[in-house]
Amino acid sequence: MRFTSYTVLALLLALALSGTVAFGQESASDGKAAESEKIVFEGSRAEAERFIGYHRSILLTPEQEAIKRQALEVIPAPCCSNFSAATCCCPCNLAKTIWGLSNFLIAKKGFGAGQVRDAVNTWIAAINPSGFPGDSCFTGGCGRPFEERGCGGMHESELLF
């Protein structure tokens, strides 16, 4: 098979627009996410910005909100473990990435609570492989990048990476 420069350009453009979230297989035809669907994150600024955008742009139905709450209530907020990832103690950039990622997976991929929980834990590990102590909000972490155990800032326009 011979590829023209337009074909190659179209493929590259499609890859660039698809984002960096890689799924192991497509969702099942009934709209429910496939059980073996795997997600890989880069832990990049571009992903964080995209997930924050999903937080703003994807509105969930009450039923979808219940799935999100079920998924996130059992995850301690990475920056403030006194709260769950469902509420956090404030809408910091870290919380917004978690909420936006969850919105996307539920509304666009049909994920259930367990799959969202797994994906969120994978995202948290990708942005800071060293882990979060759970007290960042009380130790000046609001103004630190994710990889320094911080919240990534408090304003979307000032994402600290």
Side-chain angles (χ1 to χ4, degrees):
M1 178 186 319
R2 183 175 176 170
F3 291 103
T4 66
S5 59
Y6 292 109
T7 305
V8 172
L9 182 59
L11 288 170
L12 290 174
L13 181 59
L15 286 171
L17 293 175
S18 69
T20 57
V21 178
F23 295 91
Q25 79 179 51
E26 290 299 313
S27 294
S29 60
D30 66 357
K32 299 296 179 195
E35 287 298 318
S36 63
E37 197 159 358
K38 301 290 183 209
I39 299 180
V40 177
F41 297 108
E42 293 178 349
S44 69
R45 172 184 290 276
E47 283 175 325
E49 290 171 347
R50 188 168 47 256
F51 298 159
I52 288 171
Y54 294 155
H55 168 66
R56 281 193 316 273
S57 65
I58 299 175
L59 300 176
L60 300 180
T61 66
E63 294 81 14
Q64 291 170 325
E65 281 289 346
I67 293 168
K68 179 177 168 182
R69 190 173 40 260
Q70 181 184 3
L72 300 181
E73 280 180 339
V74 297
I75 301 172
C79 50
C80 183
S81 61
N82 293 348
F83 295 86
S84 76
T87 61
C88 200
C89 64
C90 63
C92 64
N93 285 333
L94 178 53
K96 289 177 188 176
T97 66
I98 291 170
W99 299 336
L101 172 61
S102 299
N103 288 0
F104 172 78
L105 295 174
I106 294 165
K108 304 299 184 187
K109 291 292 184 179
F111 273 33
Q115 292 167 303
V116 170
R117 187 177 309 116
D118 291 345
V120 166
N121 282 324
T122 301
W123 166 245
I124 292 168
I127 58 173
N128 185 4
S130 299
F132 289 88
D135 65 353
S136 298
C137 293
F138 306 109
T139 60
C142 298
R144 287 195 310 253
F146 301 142
E147 67 180 19
E148 294 177 20
R149 302 176 337 268
C151 298
M154 299 305 294
H155 304 286
E156 296 172 24
S157 61
E158 299 173 5
L159 177 61
L160 302 174
F161 221 85

